[in-house]
Amino acid sequence: MRRVGITFLAALAAVSVVSVSANPLPSTTQLTSSQPTGTKKCHANPTPFVIPSLQEWDGGSGNWRLDANTRIVVDPSFANGGALDADNTFMRNPSNLKQYAASFQADISEVTGVNVEVVVSSKYGPNDIFLTLGADSTDPELNIEGYLLDITKKGISIQGVTSRGAFWGTRSILQMLILADERGYALPHGHARDFPNYNERKFMQDIARKPIPMSDLHEYATLSSFYKFNTLHHHYNDNPGMQVKSILPDWQTKYAGFRLRTENPAYSMYASNDTSYTKQDMREFQDFIKARGLDLIPEIDTPAHSLCFTKFHPNWSIQNDTARGDWLDLSNPEVQPFLEGLWTEFIDWFDSREVSIGADEYDPSKGDLARKFVNSMHDYFATHFNRSIRMWGSDVRLPGTIEINPNIHTDHWDWTYSSPVDLVKRGNKVCNLNAPDTYLVPRTLSYEDFIDSRKIYDLWEPWVFDIFDKTNTSRNLSPNEPLLTGGGLGNWNDFLSESVTRVELFDRVSRGLDVFGEKLWAGAKNSDHISYDKWAPLAKKLRENIPGITLRRRPQSKGQFLMSYDFENGVTDASDNAYDAKLQNGATIVEAGEGHGRAAQLTPDSYISTPVDAISYPYAVAMWIKPSGDQQPNAVILESEDGRVLISNSTAPTVTFEQDGNQYDTQVILPPGQWSHLAFSADTKQTTVFFNMRRVATVQYYNPRWDVLANSTMLITAPLSTIGSAKGNSMSGLVDGFVVLDRASYGGEMAFLGKRFADALP
């Protein structure tokens, strides 16, 4: 496992084949209208807050209330889908109303605790939520994903143009329920006419350079769907930024990720050993996301970013020292047939009628060769798979005389590589992923570490490619440009797995998707446009209560103490939460003496289990430890799915944090046969380590890339599932005064906490 150091504070001081609706359909009225469909009435219910905002709202009076008799009623005429469903998504075989209803049912249950029934019937009652189709498909504003919402004393009706449009209506109801928790889940009577300004609302994620478990991908899908995103774009292969071979002669040794694992021996060697997905994994994932209104764009990025292939076939790389080792040589007669075969192997894994071939950041001296390649891949996909392709904007940095096929959908990402204005002039559809505004790159110096939500809310629109010069038509598109398909948020993990933990990454993404969801759907104008300062607190409440999300890692607590075990009364939790633990596999409570009273005793095979898996920042964890003289290598103090706290690592006797398979040393040594107080605390900026109630270190990651060469502080997710390990590798010794706070803590408080549980101090 990669080990990353922690710096001591003292040291710190010194043409498309398939007709997929091409996406925007915004009209001038659509982008500027903020008026309801009816006449304003005195004392009418105000527009309910949802993200993205409702385009139009005509408030009534009174409320509808969810109760134990509420049902989700699916119109039998459309239960298995509508006539417009199949031709208006990137994916074949989209979900139908019944499948969407099942997703909605589970969400309501988790949010409210009410177990609603799903029935198929043409009749619904005043307590029910009715899902149907039939909204006007010829309405140029309502378009294929719009819906009509009526909340009245007769019940709730959601009428979509398509099944997916009706599902977006359920997202609005779900969010209203979350925010109505203190009102007994009462929703205001009224009528909404809601529709997206843009038909491509995308979350793009680099899952090549950060191993992401499939369970996490499900949660990112749930998060995206909650804000009415309709597209996921997965970048399946990549490597760290490369220098030319003359500067980086060991290029073949660098990390390269390829996330698709086939049983075919011709291609199985390329799959990453740390994390990869099988055909069955992808089938289940696509079924899952379809039932949440999402499409998937798969990307295998070539001919650059291809170290996962060139490290096995170095002769396929460009054979000169001024080229990067991850550039495939398109003049090599073996390369393109290999790439065609690669796609042939994996294409049937995916339901998408459009895929991405990447094609960015290639050797600029081979512009026409690259242009010929992308055109030939367009033709290959059309002829062999009846599918269309998209690519990253690259034409400016690939100069040549060959015109790139205008039927190739382009993800614009950087002005130095392409001009969105020129692309639409040539007839290319364009999606706005313009950096730096839409880029989230953890711990970078060039892009956003966290999305600046205020900036996006106040300044960004999908048609804006230069927020400093929004009226310049040579730098931006028209809001009504028919070739502008939409935009989204792009998460790139340039600095590999050790630079960001799974929980940190999810937190960053979740704090950005909401505001992009707002702007991609409703834009700058909505029913009752509110300031960012009023929008943000409600957005936060929604973000913290999304059903199906576990990666927040914030267990419920009735007070500042999440857990507190003094072991005087066994493993009873002294906090208000009653998170009582259990002694497992021979763990015991013994008289410890030395001012500690009773303490827990662990052996390598014994451990203490708790009902809390982990906690993310902010938090503080503190405990007294008296290790025995003999410890197994990598003996565990704390453990959960997210990682471990080790008493030592395989090369040094220092307390070590482990997250996602990466180790971070603390240089703290717990002396055997002596009581020591160990604590660590994370706020929104760093994780601080305390030894004997003194602040001694911060957890850091050193970024060795040539253009960074800097330390960054890490936010560790505290593992709490077990004290010791359920896997037979617990630390040996005594533990006392185990406390977890659901807020960060600092030096003075640590001393106070330590003294509460011991009369004798070190």
Side-chain angles (χ1 to χ4, degrees), residues 56 76 109 114 125 185 210 247 370 433 461 482 615 661 683 716 729-730 750 758:
E56 297 174 1
S109 176
V114 177
Y185 302 113
K210 171 69 179 175
I247 298 176
L433 286 173
E461 301 287 339
I615 185 170
D683 55 20
I716 296 297
N729 196 35
S730 298
M750 285 299 175

Side-chain angles (χ1 to χ4, degrees), residues 71-102:
R71 303 176 303 166
I72 299 172
V73 181
V74 180
D75 189 336
S77 299
F78 305 107
N80 294 316
L84 299 177
D85 287 355
D87 293 333
N88 288 294
T89 69
F90 283 128
M91 302 273 274
R92 297 173 297 187
N93 306 313
S95 288
N96 55 46
L97 278 186
K98 283 176 63 177
Q99 293 165 318
Y100 286 134

Side-chain angles (χ1 to χ4, degrees), residues 116-133:
V116 298
E117 180 185 6
V118 175
V119 299
V120 178
S121 174
S122 58
K123 298 180 180 180
Y124 66 100
N127 297 105
D128 295 336
I129 303 171
F130 184 55
L131 304 183
T132 187
L133 304 183

Side-chain angles (χ1 to χ4, degrees), residues 21 73 88 123 136 149 177 215 231 239 375 379 434 461 590 595 600 615 621 646 678 720 735:
S21 288
V73 181
N88 288 294
K123 298 180 180 180
D136 187 1
L149 170 64
L177 289 170
S215 59
T231 305
N239 43 264
N375 287 344
D379 296 343
N434 187 55
E461 301 287 339
V590 299
I615 185 170
V621 177
L646 309 176
L678 176 67
L720 300 175
V735 177

Side-chain angles (χ1 to χ4, degrees), residues 555-570:
Q556 292 184 346
S557 184
K558 296 178 181 178
Q560 62 177 324
F561 285 94
L562 177 70
M563 305 158 70
S564 179
Y565 306 133
D566 63 9
F567 303 113
E568 297 302 317
N569 296 298

Side-chain angles (χ1 to χ4, degrees), residues 593-597 624 736 754-762:
E594 300 181 84
H596 282 268
W624 286 94
D736 192 20
K755 293 172 183 178
R756 287 186 65 195
F757 296 99
D759 295 330
L761 300 179

